[in-house]
Every structure is written in C-alpha cells, then in structure tokens.
Amino acid sequence: MAHNHRPIRADEGDRRWTLDGRPMRRAREGETVTDALLCAGELALTRSAKYRRPRGAYCLRGDCGSCLVRVDGRPNAPACTTKIRDGMRVERQNLHGPDGADPTALVDRVFAGGFDHHRFMVKPRIANELMQTMARQLTGLGRVPDPEVQVRGTPEDLRPTVLVIGAGAAGLAVHERLAAAGVDVLTVEREAPSRAPAGIRAATAVFAAYPGESLFAAQCRAPRERPSEAAVFGEHLVRLRPEHVVFATGTREPLLTIPNNDLPGVVAASGLRASLERTDGALDPRCVVVGPAPYAAARARELKLATVLAPSQVRALEPRGSQLRVTTDDGHHDAPLVILAPPPAPAHELPVMAGAKVQFVDAQEPACVGFVVQRDHTGHAGIMEGPHPIHLWAVGGVCGITDRERAIEDSQRVARTILATITSTGGSAPP
Amino acid sequence: MTTRTFICRCEDVTVKDCDAAIEAGFETIEEIKRFTGMGTGPCQGRECMVPLCTLLQERGVEGSDALAPFTARPPAAQISLGALADGARESTAIPTPTSSPEGEDS
C-alpha cells in the first residue's frame, strides 16, 4: 500500500488497536475509530452498494452510515461513534479488490446509455433471480458475528415525567432548569462524551416513537449495570414512557452536491471539528472547505483553514495519490481532506414519528435548510396520541434555532412552560 | 475516477438518476424515493433528503406536496436486532401505567 498522508497529526495515546490485523498508532482515551483512522490517514473503509466505489466516513457523528466496520468479530459498528478500547480489532467490511480500483468506469462502458435498474435483467424471471443472487454476493453489510460474540442485555423500563432527547446546549438547558425545580427529568444523549454532565444518560440513542403504545424506545450502548460506561457490546433496549417529551435533537450536516462527493476524504465540517477536539490533533492546513458562503466561512474559521470554495466553484474532484485534487476555474488545490460545510439540517425524524408537524425552510434566518418542527409560541409541538397521550415539545436546532445563545434562551423559556404545565396538572413536580 | 455527483451515497443514487425520475414524471420526495431507492440505506434519508429538496427547488419543483419528508419509521438510530429481539421476548412482562409498576427496576 502506498504511504498514507495523515490529515490529522496527533500525539499517541496508550490504546493499542489493529486495522485488518495491522497495528496502528496508539489511540488516546475518548478517540473514536474514525478519529484514529483520520490520524492514520486510512480513509477508505468499504465499497458502495451499486457501483462498488471506495467509500469512507463522512459525517463523523453517527448520521450517515458509510463508516460501518467489523469490531472484535461483530459487523456494522459505526466507526464514528465507537470508542477505541485497548486491544480492539477493527476490520474493514465489504472491501474487495485493490484500494483505488473504480469499477464505475466498467459500468459506464457496458451501459453507455446509463444503467437503469428498472429494466436491467428484470425479465425473464430466471435472469432476474440470477442477477439478484449475484448482486447480493457482491454487496451487503459484512459477515455474521463471530460465534463467541454475545449480545445480551435485559431491557430497561423507565418512566420519567419528562424525557429530553439530546444533550446539546438546548437539551442541557431544559434539563438543568427542570432538574433544579425537582422534576423527574431524564435526558438521553446518543453520543458518549468522555465527561458527560451529571444526570445525563450518555450512549443512549432513541430510535423510535410508537404512538400506539405510548412508547419511546432507545438503545443504550452500555451494560445495564454500568449505564455510564459506553461499550461496544453489552447494549440493551430502554423503553421510555414519559408524560412529556422534549425534542432537542439538534441539526446535522447533509451531503452537498459537488462532483465525486462520495470519495473517501470528503468529510463534514462540524463532525471533523469534534474529532479534532477528541484527538487534540492538528489539521493539515491544506484541507479545503466547500460550502455556501456563510456556513463555509464560519466552519473554516473554526477549523483555522484558509481555502474556502463555493460548491459552484468546484469543477472536478479526484483522487491524487493519497490526497484529493479540487479543480476550479482558477487552478487546483491538493487537499488531504475536502471538508463540506452545508447549512445545518434539523434532525426531524423522531418528532415526525411522534406526530409533530414539520415545514420545509430554506433561509438564513433561521439559519438552516431542512424540515423544522412546527410548534406554538410556548414551544408545544402537539400531543402523541395513544393510550396515554404524551405532550411533545421542541427546542433549539430542530426548530431551526441554530445560534447557541438563542437556543439556550429558547430552551429556558420552554422549560418554564413545561414546569408550569406539570405543576398545574398535579404531575410529579414538587408542591 | 469516473465522475458522479451523488444525492444518496448509501444507495448510489446520483443527481442524474433524480433528474431521470423528474423527467419520468415523479416530482415529490416520496415518489423519487420509490423510483430511485434514495433514502433507503443505512442513513435512512439523514444525508440525502435535504440535498434532494434543494435539487427539486433548483429544478423549479416546489409545491408543498413536493417538499414533504418521506414517512419516518423506526429505527431512527442504529440498533442491533439482538437488543430489539430481547425487547419483544420480554414484552409480556412490561408493567403498564394502570397496573402496579413493579418491574425489576423498582
């Protein structure tokens, strides 16, 4: 394999780990697999489903799903949210053929007029079955777990008065306000920061709202006996039956449509920033930020990078050795990483599942592009109808309030309303 | 490297594929999802739904029906089948709010 360029330079830690059997730079405590991979310059992790193109991590924070790796004999762990433990074995999945090979060219030669899966080998039926079998051999999500891998955990049932989903600035503001008033509030956070604020359940991701059962469901990536210790295994189900739910799910960074935006080494700006904090590393100053003006400029400032391009300026993006070459009308930049800075998009799925309404917005104010949760002036976003109706509230980024200070102010206001509601209905708030 | 501009990396759906869908008469997010398969991979639309909205706006397809998200279904975060199965196995033992809340938690 060619010498890898390392986009992040970081000191070594004490956690040994291997990638496909090769010992790597020791990781520091709190580093995720993608953090360590960026420090090692290992960017390609898998191949795509249809064109078999090399792919790597993009969002770096558990949203996108292109960094799945096999960890200690278990498939499909998201590399970006899996913390490195001493002695960890990480294997890339579904990566056949040499690293740089690109079968897309072959597809283009064979299907000069474009590949249309609605027509290709659909008839006769026998041909379709043959094609399906072959496609399933080529692609997929890794091999089954090693036999000795045990995943067992007794489900947990929790009935807080208020469930806050997300422990960003907005969620924490609600949590602190309600906890200070003595309300039985549970705040869950899907990430597992090294220092989780007191009273927060980290590594606990809410994945469903079931109105028919008045139930929210989460997976906790930690043994039930020690819920604060994030683990790769030992996860268990958490069933949540609150009276109020506060969505503080924030925003995320979707893809930007520039040529070859799928290449390994194309990563999202905010995710990368968090990665740099965990590794305490230095980013190669030749990295290029691409995005619409206000967002790209802001992210470049945070990352201390000089080269900022609008998406429309990018004429071509191609691998060049172990770097990426960005071509514009004025020349080109060879960058270890191409960092996308899209407008933040509200994480709207859970509120929608629970019955909240959303509206598409595309605006500087609120500074986001995506589906924002609709709520009344008090922050109330409706009721999850079911056997035991649950009040829905929304705060911060998921409502399009992406400015931190404003999000905190908004959250405190909504928390006061929730408090008043609980007190007036004789909930579990103190007298 | 052959150039492609992706809307959805999970299912390898490009801008060109979405344009073909629009040309075929599909103009809402839901329809384009069904025609191209975008949004049906591991990310479940988290990465691709907004870029598709932006593309539809650029193409002048902007009715309120067009820019509605496709149905959000569990799981909204990755979960192992093992953990889910454990939940189903024990579901008969879940205390309900009307019965006494004597789970093994209390």
Side-chain angles (χ1 to χ4, degrees):
Chain A
M1 187 182 293
H3 170 72
N4 287 322
H5 186 86
R6 298 177 176 180
I8 298 180
R9 300 246 162 216
D11 290 340
E12 228 179 355
D14 58 1
R15 301 193 169 190
R16 291 159 302 167
W17 65 288
T18 60
L19 177 66
D20 298 332
R22 286 178 292 137
M24 306 298 286
R25 161 197 162 273
R26 292 184 185 195
R28 294 154 57 102
E29 187 187 348
E31 269 183 37
T32 66
V33 176
T34 48
D35 296 340
L37 287 165
L38 285 166
C39 291
E42 291 287 350
L43 302 177
L45 290 180
T46 185
R47 279 186 178 276
S48 70
K50 194 159 115 191
Y51 296 121
R52 314 295 303 147
R53 288 162 71 96
R55 290 281 162 81
Y58 167 66
C59 76
L60 305 175
R61 46 171 298 201
D63 282 322
C64 79
S66 65
C67 67
L68 303 181
V69 288
R70 187 178 183 90
V71 172
D72 290 341
R74 181 144 179 245
N76 301 321
C80 64
T81 55
T82 303
K83 306 265 179 185
I84 298 235
R85 286 177 312 163
D86 194 38
M88 190 180 259
R89 287 181 293 125
V90 178
E91 294 165 85
R92 297 185 290 179
Q93 301 184 155
N94 202 25
L95 188 66
H96 311 291
D99 273 9
D102 172 26
T104 339
L106 181 68
V107 175
D108 287 350
R109 251 202 316 280
V110 179
F111 306 97
F115 178 83
D116 182 355
H117 71 273
H118 295 102
R119 295 193 175 82
F120 176 66
M121 285 181 82
V122 171
K123 286 174 183 168
R125 191 181 170 137
I126 179 95
N128 187 246
E129 280 170 6
L130 197 72
M131 191 272 286
Q132 295 276 359
T133 311
M134 214 177 109
R136 286 189 183 130
Q137 295 290 328
L138 274 172
T139 184
L141 290 168
R143 291 171 288 121
V144 294
D146 289 354
E148 65 273 18
V149 171
Q150 283 277 338
V151 184
R152 271 287 169 273
T154 320
E156 212 174 344
D157 286 283
L158 300 172
R159 297 171 186 282
T161 306
V162 181
L163 167 68
V164 181
I165 303 175
L172 277 181
V174 173
H175 179 90
E176 280 161 15
R177 178 90 203 178
L178 294 180
V183 174
D184 174 19
V185 53
L186 172 71
T187 297
V188 294
E189 166 57 46
R190 65 177 185 169
E191 288 184 34
S194 312
R195 288 159 302 175
I200 305 296
R201 276 286 293 261
T204 303
V206 178
F207 64 86
Y210 298 110
E213 297 168 65
S214 299
L215 172 74
F216 284 77
Q219 173 172 261
C220 180
R221 279 184 294 113
R224 185 171 168 167
E225 309 74 48
R226 303 185 303 277
S228 59
E229 286 177 33
V232 178
F233 307 131
E235 67 228 15
H236 65 277
L237 192 71
V238 186
R239 289 178 290 225
L240 300 149
R241 291 184 171 80
E243 290 165 30
H244 299 261
V245 170
V246 183
F247 296 106
T249 47
T251 60
R252 58 174 76 104
E253 296 176 300
L255 208 55
L256 283 175
T257 47
I258 59 169
N260 285 345
N261 52 358
D262 65 322
L263 287 177
V266 176
V267 297
S270 299
L272 180 65
R273 192 181 171 204
S275 180
L276 286 166
E277 280 169 15
R278 287 187 295 264
T279 55
D280 197 21
L283 184 62
D284 190 311
R286 289 169 301 164
C287 291
V288 169
V289 182
V290 178
Y295 309 104
R299 300 292 91 79
R301 261 197 310 280
E302 290 164 5
L303 295 167
K304 300 183 180 71
L305 293 173
T307 314
V308 183
L309 298 172
S312 59
Q313 285 179 280
V314 179
R315 292 277 170 259
L317 177 61
E318 287 183 315
R320 185 93 182 174
S322 61
Q323 304 201 39
L324 295 169
R325 172 163 287 188
V326 189
T327 308
T328 67
D329 286 341
D330 305 324
H332 63 256
H333 305 270
D334 286 334
L337 297 175
V338 169
I339 301 159
L340 299 190
H348 69 268
E349 290 82 1
L350 275 176
V352 170
M353 241 183 258
K357 298 277 177 282
V358 292
Q359 170 82 42
F360 185 77
V361 301
D362 175 5
Q364 299 295 313
E365 188 59 43
C368 69
V369 177
F371 297 97
V372 297
V373 173
Q374 302 292 287
R375 51 177 202 170
D376 68 14
H377 66 282
T378 66
H380 196 248
I383 287 175
M384 181 160 102
E385 300 292 353
H388 306 280
I390 296 173
H391 285 277
L392 307 176
W393 309 81
V395 294
V398 77
C399 308
I401 305 168
T402 48
D403 175 75
R404 186 187 162 88
E405 299 309 316
R406 278 191 52 217
I408 292 173
E409 220 171 275
D410 172 68
S411 304
Q412 288 168 342
R413 187 177 60 87
V414 175
R416 280 196 296 274
T417 314
I418 297 172
L419 200 53
T421 311
I422 293 171
T423 315
S424 70
T425 55
S428 51
Chain B
M1 174 65 70
T2 318
T3 297
R4 290 273 196 285
T5 304
F6 287 91
I7 288 277
C8 161
R9 293 184 311 142
C10 298
E11 297 296 315
D12 272 358
V13 178
T14 61
V15 169
K16 205 174 147 191
D17 294 330
C18 294
D19 275 333
I22 295 170
E23 203 170 298
F26 302 109
E27 295 199 333
T28 68
I29 299 208
E30 182 70 42
E31 287 170 352
I32 292 171
K33 172 197 165 187
R34 288 173 188 228
F35 189 70
T36 63
M38 60 76 66
T40 60
C43 96
Q44 287 291 294
R46 291 193 285 271
E47 175 181 294
C48 52
M49 210 188 308
V50 169
L52 180 62
C53 292
T54 308
L55 183 79
L56 288 177
Q57 285 182 313
E58 283 168 12
R59 302 294 187 259
V61 187
E62 283 192 56
S64 58
D65 288 350
L67 298 186
F70 53 71
T71 311
R73 294 187 179 88
Q78 199 195 27
I79 177 170
S80 74
L81 285 171
L84 258 188
D86 283 340
R89 194 160 45 84
E90 298 208 352
S91 62
T92 49
I94 305 173
T96 63
T98 45
S99 69
S100 105
E102 284 175 18
E104 51 184 38
D105 266 345
S106 50

